[in-house]
Amino acid sequence: MPKRKTEARKNSGEISLYIGPSFVEAWESVVLPWFELVAATAFTQSQPAVVATPFATDGMFLRHKLLEHGISLLAVKFLTPAQLREMIVQDDACMPLREHLRLLLATAAESIASRISADVDLAAIAKSILRSPDNLLRTFDQASAAGWNFQDIGAPVEREIIQEFQRLVRQCEFKLVHEADRDALAVARSAPPRFSHLLSIGFTAKHWPLWPLLQAAVSFASRATVVLEYPREQTRAADESWIGMWEEHFDSAAP
């Protein structure tokens, strides 16, 4: 049997954390019973039942398993992180498309390249980012999602570009993903539930940037179940930290 920890939240919701050695064991003792319960009660709930998985293929795999057991899926929504975000982020949050962010970052790099044109080496770096902004945008996303300030960790010319990029983002009244996720988490702590049941499964330490979003989703559920696997040898330190974050979240959620 997997390890189980259950805490009552301040709004009387229930959160359950399961940690087991494999999906097979979790399926038999946690996941299948969860779907059996939800399939029998979901139609009587005013809020939807939701399954959050890292990728759409994970949801397809679960659907296939459930069809083998003859369990109805009509009342259950299978959501990827992007779809989950659409359901819980505030309606007034203006979320830019990735293409818009690339354009703004390229514009920022062009502006900085013109400003520092006298320094050939730094201008060359800025022009390189102008031609291919994805790498810097990805690094900025990861640092921001982890709660770091890019101005403390980036190279000097990159810091200037990111500073100009953030000015352009604010000027366009856009809200970046990590900002929207943290705002959703702050709202979730005192808002009424949006989900009757939530099952979060398949997320590991490599999904650190999604931590605020997953926290918010759990907080928005009347009954939330989180399934984790024991740390793998190849990534033990990161996995143990990931599990520790969930356990701390459960402790802080207790009344």
Side-chain angles (χ1 to χ4, degrees):
M1 288 292 292
K3 174 182 176 182
R4 172 175 177 170
K5 182 174 183 178
T6 304
E7 302 286 355
R9 287 196 284 116
K10 292 180 180 179
N11 64 356
S12 299
E14 182 182 278
I15 309 176
S16 300
L17 174 65
Y18 297 85
I19 307 171
S22 67
F23 171 80
V24 174
E25 185 169 339
W27 170 260
E28 294 295 337
S29 58
V30 181
V31 180
L32 182 57
W34 187 92
F35 278 106
E36 290 173 335
L37 171 65
V38 170
T41 61
F43 284 108
T44 66
Q45 304 294 323
S46 58
Q47 291 96 11
V50 168
V51 178
T53 60
F55 305 104
T57 50
D58 299 320
M60 292 174 61
F61 171 73
L62 289 174
R63 287 189 185 96
H64 179 72
K65 295 281 289 182
L66 293 168
L67 289 174
E68 289 179 346
H69 288 78
I71 296 177
S72 172
L73 305 175
L74 294 178
V76 180
K77 294 181 180 292
F78 289 79
L79 304 178
T80 61
Q83 294 167 324
L84 185 63
R85 185 174 290 113
E86 289 179 3
M87 293 191 69
I88 66 177
V89 166
Q90 297 178 60
D91 294 336
D92 61 351
C94 185
M95 304 277 290
L97 297 175
R98 195 71 177 173
E99 290 80 0
H100 296 159
L101 294 178
R102 283 197 291 266
L103 176 60
L104 291 179
L105 185 56
T107 301
E110 184 177 28
S111 175
I112 297 302
S114 299
R115 190 184 305 168
I116 60 174
S117 58
D119 191 318
V120 177
D121 291 336
L122 293 182
I125 295 174
K127 289 177 182 178
S128 175
I129 294 171
L130 165 62
R131 289 190 296 270
S132 181
D134 283 292
N135 288 338
L136 181 57
L137 184 57
R138 190 178 305 112
T139 301
F140 172 71
D141 285 342
Q142 292 172 344
S144 300
W148 297 334
N149 186 341
F150 193 86
Q151 298 303 315
D152 297 331
I153 62 174
V157 67
E158 292 177 342
R159 293 201 299 267
E160 287 191 56
I161 292 172
I162 288 298
Q163 189 172 22
E164 175 65 13
F165 166 70
Q166 290 177 298
R167 187 189 69 80
L168 294 173
V169 168
R170 290 192 298 270
Q171 192 175 57
C172 294
E173 298 184 348
F174 287 151
K175 180 168 287 189
L176 298 176
V177 167
H178 65 275
E179 296 172 339
D181 288 352
R182 291 196 178 96
D183 287 349
L185 175 58
V187 170
R189 286 170 174 157
S190 58
R194 296 189 184 180
F195 310 130
S196 60
H197 294 77
L198 171 74
L199 173 65
S200 172
I201 185 170
F203 294 96
T204 66
K206 66 183 178 183
H207 301 110
W208 275 104
L210 298 174
W211 172 241
L213 176 67
L214 297 176
Q215 275 186 292
V218 165
S219 297
F220 270 126
S222 295
R223 298 184 66 182
T225 300
V226 179
V227 179
L228 304 174
E229 289 189 18
Y230 285 138
R232 298 155 294 175
E233 287 301 325
Q234 303 92 323
T235 57
R236 175 167 292 276
D239 286 343
E240 287 178 344
S241 297
W242 177 250
I243 290 173
M245 288 283 284
W246 276 110
E247 291 179 325
E248 288 176 13
H249 174 64
F250 278 49
D251 288 335
S252 65

